[in-house]
Amino acid sequence: MAQLTFAKAINAALHEAMSLDSSVICYGLGVTDPKTVFGTTANLAERFGGDRVFDMPTSENAMTGIAIGAALNGIKPVMTHQRLDFFLLALDQLVNGAAKWHYMFGSQVTVPLTIRLILGRGWGQGPTHSQNLQAWFAHIPGLKVVMPTTPGDAKGLLLSSVFDPNPVVFLEHRWLHNTMGEVPEGDNRVPLGEAKIIHPGRDVTVVSMSYMTVEAIHAAEYLTTQGISCEVIDLRTIKPLDWQTVFDSVARTGRLLALDSGFTTGSVAGEIVARVAMQQFDRLTVPPARLAMPDVPEPTSYGLTRGFYVRAADIAVKVMEMMGRSAEGVREALPEPDPHDVPGDWFKGPF
């Protein structure tokens, strides 16, 4: 085990994958620039050469088409975009190309393509650099959607994604890149489609993803001091989603709170609430609930983003309400950070 940041864990996974298989290539905007996509692609070009690690012209649609063609011909591309928002220019290639080939050709064709998309928010990113659109991708048959939270899972899930026979959208939240954690060395893969209970509990099931899991843990730790035991499930993979782990937890607790870093309407959290309500209704003791981003574009202004994001206090308040308890004093105990639009005072911006 090694103590690594999330970003260095991503880097370690890329080094490992490219060492294991010479058909793995890594390319995209900024892959070889001095900042190496927040450090995630550092030293790849020096080690594996320009034929396997390279930058691309600013044409998201074209570079995605190249990746699909390469994947259809035995190459395993890892394509990187520094913002999910930039990748929207390539949705036709992803949805009508990569996601469909395996099905349309009777499972005889595979598209082993991994698309790394980095999510951002805060620090003035505004409406066009902050969107968490995982629900879009999860809606499309033929795509797998991965959202790791811990450095160990970041490495293990990326390795599994690279060697999956069909396309994977791998979503990294920028607020996680500098978090630290234990990371297994070598080719240590985490299976896609398996959630993880990271905080066992008996009173409320809290289902979360990516950075929202960090806030869920903070809330659960506070609620423990109030005599409330939260079971926090980190989904890790959005598609396929580990329904059995969710259902088993709800059967134990009788309460569900689903969290989402995306917009509320049409969210993954909404799908979780719907499935639990349809298939586990008799297990619920109170109506299921969800917390997600408001259905408005994210403001650029520092002032307007105050109170905009779902934080630990919001989660704790909702859980207290579900338990029939007063939420008085919760927000004072879990105040919004200052500055409020970053995960911590150590965070110095996107680049």
Side-chain angles (χ1 to χ4, degrees), residues 8 10-22 24 26 31-32 36 41-54 155 159 186:
K8 288 184 178 179
I10 294 290
N11 183 248
L14 293 172
H15 276 272
E16 188 72 27
M18 297 188 77
S19 298
L20 290 168
D21 190 337
S22 61
V24 178
C26 178
V31 163
T32 58
T36 57
T41 58
N43 302 314
L44 289 174
E46 292 82 354
R47 181 176 177 186
F48 299 104
D51 289 341
R52 295 179 64 193
V53 185
F54 47 90
K155 180 185 177 184
L159 281 169

Side-chain angles (χ1 to χ4, degrees), residues 298-311:
E298 180 173 318
T300 305
S301 162
Y302 176 80
L304 290 177
T305 53
R306 188 174 298 281
F308 189 80
Y309 310 114
V310 176
R311 294 283 196 171

Side-chain angles (χ1 to χ4, degrees), residues 102-239:
H102 187 63
Y103 171 80
M104 290 171 64
F105 289 87
S107 304
Q108 298 177 66
V109 175
T110 60
V111 186
L113 165 63
T114 304
I115 302 173
R116 291 180 55 218
L117 304 178
I118 296 174
L119 311 174
R121 72 182 196 191
W123 14 272
Q125 294 299 289
T128 59
H129 290 70
S130 61
Q131 298 165 94
N132 286 221
L133 301 176
Q134 58 269 13
W136 278 21
F137 302 123
H139 184 66
I140 306 301
L143 297 180
K144 293 184 174 73
V145 184
V146 178
M147 295 186 78
T149 300
T150 67
D153 284 343
K155 180 185 177 184
L157 289 167
L158 182 53
L159 281 169
S160 292
S161 299
V162 171
F163 294 109
D164 193 274
N166 273 298
V168 178
V169 179
F170 193 90
L171 303 175
E172 302 165 31
H173 200 296
R174 179 71 182 97
W175 282 14
L176 294 171
H177 270 168
N178 285 327
T179 57
M180 293 286 295
E182 288 190 343
V183 179
E185 297 178 359
D187 182 15
N188 198 296
R189 304 182 195 182
V190 175
L192 304 184
E194 291 186 9
K196 182 179 181 180
I197 296 173
I198 57 174
H199 192 283
R202 63 181 182 276
D203 294 325
V204 183
T205 296
V206 179
V207 182
S208 189
M209 64 188 71
S210 188
Y211 177 76
M212 287 307 304
T213 303
V214 175
E215 297 288 351
I217 293 170
H218 291 326
E221 289 173 346
Y222 165 77
L223 288 164
T224 298
T225 69
Q226 304 302 303
I228 298 174
S229 175
C230 289
E231 181 144 288
V232 180
I233 298 174
D234 184 17
L235 288 175
R236 304 197 291 187
T237 303
I238 304 303
K239 182 81 169 286

